Amino acid sequence: MLDIQNVSKSVDGKPIVQDIQLSIQKGKCIGLIGPNGAGKSTVVKLISALEKPSAGQIQFMGKDVQDWSVKKLAQHIAVLTQEGLAPYPITVYDAILMGRYPHLGFFQRESKRDYEIVEEVLKITDLTEFRDQLLDTLSGGERQRVAIAKAMVQQPELLLLDEPTTYLDIGHQLNILKLVQDWQKRDGLTVVMVLHDLNLAAQFCDELVLMDHGRVVRVGTSEDIIAKEMLESVYHANPEIIRHPKTNIPQILL
Amino acid sequence: MKIKHNLWVWLPVFFLILILVMSISVTLGAANINWQLAWQIIFSKIPGISTFIEESWSSSNETIVWDIRLPRVLLGAAVGAALALAGAIYQGVLRNPLADPFILGVSSGASFGAALVFVFGLQIVLLGRFTLPAVAFLFGFLSLLIVYFLSRVNQKVRLETIILAGVVVQSFIGACLSLVLALSNEHLQTIVFWMMGSLALTDWGYNQIIFPIILIVSIVSLFFIKELNMLGLGEEAAHHSGVSVQRTRFLLLILASIITGAAVSVSGAIGFVGLVVPHIIRLMFGADYRVILPLSIVGGAIFLVGADAVARTIMAPRELPLGVITAFLGAPFFGYLLRRAKRGYF
């Protein structure tokens, strides 16, 4: 579905991302992890065509993402960033409805079907009671849930998340990731997410991509990546690795 | 949904207020003309209806209503609508509450162009008396292009850069303007008065140019309401939902600058309308551009027609600069609304 071929990106001669090769299968959840400045967010920006690679190309559904029109691409790829939506005073309902934008022609208004999709998503994301509230009156966690709902309404095949839980408490973190996980199972969605929290990454992703200094260090399962030597070499920290008592997934202790 | 419903209530109300203010304004002035008479004269000019109206007025009254007051009132409405719409678009696209139609140097450019016309007594043969608006418009548009290309780096324009570039170009052209003013003694008063804004130089000819421009641009801009709302959620968010941010922004800035240029070129730089009217609408009806754009258009028209009526009558026969009146009327009202607003609204 997504093929990242020898992609590099440098800004003012300084390499940010170097020679990335990555192939992502449909229906998988891929976690991008790595220290600050590893180039994770840039990879997301390159995939969503927000930035242009300096070399190489990214094939999405058989076509370079740079050749897609912004609108067409948004029919297939939705993105959730750590800032999410700006606290702009419009209603939750209207903000979510904007997710239908890429599916509408220039002169076309939303149809009954579009409104139905929004209603459905309001239920799934548990936002029905907030529908008439203004975005700027919501908390960060609630606003991030609106952003997820907006992405859902977009009905993409690929969802990119760039540290979607950074500013959230653990309750909201889990809530957001659960929503993504359920959605992925329900619709066969492909997910690429940047996460700082290694424990969450290990629990929610099928495969992890460990990055450092703009390069991919290793691709593998949480078993391969959440290992002492591996993390030490990249993070220059000394974590203890234990197993989650219920799921047996490796987790770190600091 | 709820807000949209509001629009269909408030838009007709606004239109009614506009018609009311306009008809009051037509009756104001040295010649005593009541508004029945004024409407009779106006209707008598409309083909089809004219046969039902008996002419019972002097031809001087007809001239006053039809050739002097009505064009002026209509021009006031058009200029007010243009400035308020441009302000609303600038504020939305630049995501900056301080943005007004003049922030990107369009008005300074236009004023400079106008000053040159006055000082050198320019008269382009083909354009005749339209030389002034044409040159003003051209200079206004040129300043916008300079701002835009100054702030274009790697084929991208960043918001902070464009606002800074606007400020810089504005002050540079402002300095050029001051230079021209300082060197020209005899035209000083004309230029200064023009810069403060006035609708006094009006006739139907001016209306014929500015009306189509404002009408077309307003209609076109209404097609970008969705995009304006989406830009409100952040530029990256807009991009991810399928808005070509760079292209949309360029287009909207051009549209807003065209109507600003058109308005400034016929009436001078009337301040405050473009800054305050959209904010008043926002404070009263919320931040949804589906409401802000249409109501700003009509609200701007109401505001400026009203202000012009005051400017004409309060110290009659002396006419006050329109820009002074708009600020006198707008600032206190805006202050009152700001105090009343319970939370951030932009």
Side-chain angles (χ1 to χ4, degrees):
Chain A
M1 156 164 255
L2 188 71
D3 232 339
I4 303 176
Q5 299 165 349
N6 304 86
V7 165
S8 302
K9 166 85 184 172
S10 40
V11 177
D12 298 332
K14 199 178 147 217
I16 311 286
V17 158
Q18 292 181 68
D19 207 23
I20 302 269
Q21 285 242 44
L22 209 55
S23 192
I24 291 162
Q25 303 303 315
K26 194 173 155 35
K28 280 267 174 350
C29 177
I30 309 296
L32 295 182
I33 57 172
N36 291 329
K40 309 177 299 281
S41 296
T42 305
V43 171
V44 168
K45 285 185 177 151
L46 289 167
I47 299 175
S48 60
L50 201 60
E51 286 184 17
K52 245 190 178 129
S54 321
Q57 53 167 288
I58 298 176
Q59 297 268 337
F60 176 67
M61 292 166 67
K63 192 170 148 194
D64 190 338
V65 283
Q66 293 295 331
D67 296 338
W68 288 73
S69 79
V70 177
K71 201 166 178 175
K72 268 259 148 51
L73 198 62
Q75 293 174 3
H76 302 281
I77 301 181
V79 185
L80 196 67
T81 58
Q82 54 178 307
E83 293 86 15
L85 305 173
Y88 189 67
I90 59 166
T91 65
V92 167
Y93 186 91
D94 285 330
I96 297 175
L97 187 61
M98 286 175 189
R100 293 306 295 162
Y101 176 83
H103 298 279
L104 299 172
F106 187 69
F107 292 102
Q108 201 181 350
R109 292 178 52 110
E110 289 90 0
S111 68
K112 216 180 129 210
R113 177 81 193 114
D114 295 310
Y115 294 122
E116 282 167 10
I117 294 170
V118 175
E119 293 297 334
E120 218 172 290
V121 166
L122 277 171
K123 263 185 228 132
I124 295 172
T125 50
D126 223 1
L127 281 168
T128 314
E129 54 172 320
F130 292 99
R131 58 186 298 155
D132 290 326
Q133 279 204 37
L134 298 179
L135 271 192
D136 59 331
T137 63
L138 302 183
S139 73
E142 288 158 352
R143 212 160 60 230
Q144 202 61 316
R145 212 154 78 214
V146 175
I148 281 265
K150 180 163 165 266
M152 244 180 227
V153 155
Q154 217 169 314
Q155 298 189 322
E157 282 104 53
L158 174 63
L159 177 67
L160 305 174
L161 301 111
D162 188 1
E163 293 175 27
T165 57
T166 305
Y167 297 132
L168 308 183
D169 62 58
I170 49 168
H172 281 105
Q173 286 188 6
L174 270 180
N175 178 268
I176 295 289
L177 290 175
K178 272 265 188 287
L179 277 173
V180 172
Q181 198 174 43
D182 292 344
W183 178 13
Q184 188 205 357
K185 299 233 163 84
R186 194 170 60 236
D187 295 349
L189 181 74
T190 312
V191 179
V192 175
M193 65 173 138
V194 175
L195 277 179
H196 257 311
D197 189 315
L198 299 179
N199 291 339
L200 289 175
Q203 284 181 52
F204 283 92
C205 301
D206 302 317
E207 209 168 80
L208 294 178
V209 177
L210 181 63
M211 290 183 66
D212 193 21
H213 295 302
R215 293 178 188 277
V216 172
V217 177
R218 177 133 190 217
V219 183
T221 62
S222 54
E223 296 291 331
D224 306 326
I225 308 282
I226 308 295
K228 211 166 160 52
E229 317 75 59
M230 189 59 79
L231 297 181
E232 262 174 20
S233 68
V234 170
Y235 286 96
H236 308 293
N238 244 330
E240 289 300 325
I241 311 284
I242 57 163
R243 298 237 163 222
H244 193 287
K246 281 188 182 149
T247 54
N248 205 30
I249 292 170
Q251 299 279 289
I252 66 161
L253 283 180
L254 293 172
Chain B
M1 301 256 104
K2 218 168 63 201
I3 294 172
K4 248 182 157 174
H5 176 69
N6 270 345
L7 178 64
W8 301 124
V9 177
W10 284 107
L11 197 57
V13 171
F14 268 53
F15 264 113
L16 279 179
I17 297 174
L18 176 61
I19 291 169
L20 192 71
V21 174
M22 285 171 86
S23 26
I24 292 172
S25 183
V26 171
T27 65
L28 296 175
N32 193 10
I33 297 169
N34 65 25
W35 62 328
Q36 261 167 316
L37 181 60
W39 276 110
Q40 276 178 7
I41 295 174
I42 292 167
F43 276 127
S44 75
K45 296 284 184 178
I46 299 171
I49 305 177
S50 53
T51 47
F52 301 104
I53 296 170
E54 216 173 307
E55 278 198 41
S56 57
W57 51 81
S58 66
S59 68
S60 71
N61 275 350
E62 182 173 325
T63 309
I64 289 171
V65 170
W66 185 254
D67 289 329
I68 298 176
R69 289 189 190 164
L70 188 64
R72 178 171 183 152
V73 167
L74 285 175
L75 187 74
V79 167
L83 291 176
L85 172 62
I89 294 176
Y90 278 124
Q91 285 162 9
V93 173
L94 301 176
R95 292 165 51 81
N96 188 325
L98 279 178
D100 74 354
F102 308 149
I103 195 171
L104 297 187
V106 175
S107 77
S108 328
S111 301
F112 181 57
L116 290 182
V117 173
F118 286 127
V119 169
F120 294 110
L122 271 182
Q123 187 80 286
I124 298 166
V125 180
L126 269 177
L127 296 169
R129 67 202 170 81
F130 295 126
T131 304
L132 177 62
V135 172
F137 181 83
L138 188 74
F139 272 75
F141 203 72
L142 275 178
S143 358
L144 172 80
L145 289 183
I146 295 172
V147 169
Y148 205 82
F149 287 104
L150 267 184
S151 48
R152 212 170 130 97
V153 182
N154 292 334
Q155 298 173 341
K156 277 196 177 170
V157 174
R158 287 186 44 218
L159 281 184
E160 301 82 1
T161 329
I162 197 171
I163 293 172
L164 266 178
V167 171
V168 168
V169 169
Q170 209 177 346
S171 12
F172 183 77
I173 299 177
C176 297
L177 184 62
S178 302
L179 183 67
V180 171
L181 286 180
L183 295 178
S184 81
N185 301 320
E186 37 175 338
H187 301 283
L188 196 61
Q189 209 190 349
T190 328
I191 299 174
V192 169
F193 205 83
W194 188 87
M195 277 165 52
M196 287 192 286
S198 167
L199 296 169
L201 296 164
T202 322
D203 58 27
W204 281 109
Y206 273 31
N207 275 318
Q208 276 166 7
I209 323 177
I210 192 172
F211 254 107
I213 296 178
I214 289 173
L215 193 70
I216 291 168
V217 174
S218 304
I219 292 171
V220 173
S221 65
L222 291 179
F223 285 108
F224 290 95
I225 285 178
K226 247 185 226 160
E227 284 80 355
L228 275 168
N229 273 335
M230 292 170 80
L231 285 174
L233 295 183
E235 304 222 318
E236 282 195 16
H239 170 92
H240 295 319
S241 323
V243 179
S244 320
V245 174
Q246 295 288 331
R247 203 193 313 156
T248 309
R249 197 159 67 190
F250 181 66
L251 204 71
L252 279 167
L253 287 181
I254 292 283
L255 289 175
S257 300
I258 289 174
I259 43 176
T260 305
V264 172
S265 65
V266 293
S267 64
I270 301 170
F272 225 71
V273 186
L275 175 68
V276 146
V277 171
H279 279 309
I280 290 175
I281 302 293
R282 242 183 226 111
L283 279 165
M284 290 167 69
F285 302 101
D288 189 336
Y289 275 95
R290 284 176 298 190
V291 179
I292 293 178
L293 281 202
L295 290 190
S296 288
I297 293 173
V298 190
I302 295 171
F303 186 65
L304 203 63
V305 172
D308 183 49
V310 174
R312 251 164 356 108
T313 51
I314 202 164
M315 282 181 74
R318 209 196 147 115
E319 216 183 291
L320 296 180
L322 198 44
V324 174
I325 304 296
T326 53
F328 273 165
L329 286 180
F333 183 52
F334 185 55
Y336 161 73
L337 283 178
L338 264 184
R339 295 280 309 171
R340 232 191 42 176
K342 292 186 187 68
R343 47 182 193 83
Y345 69 98
F346 188 84

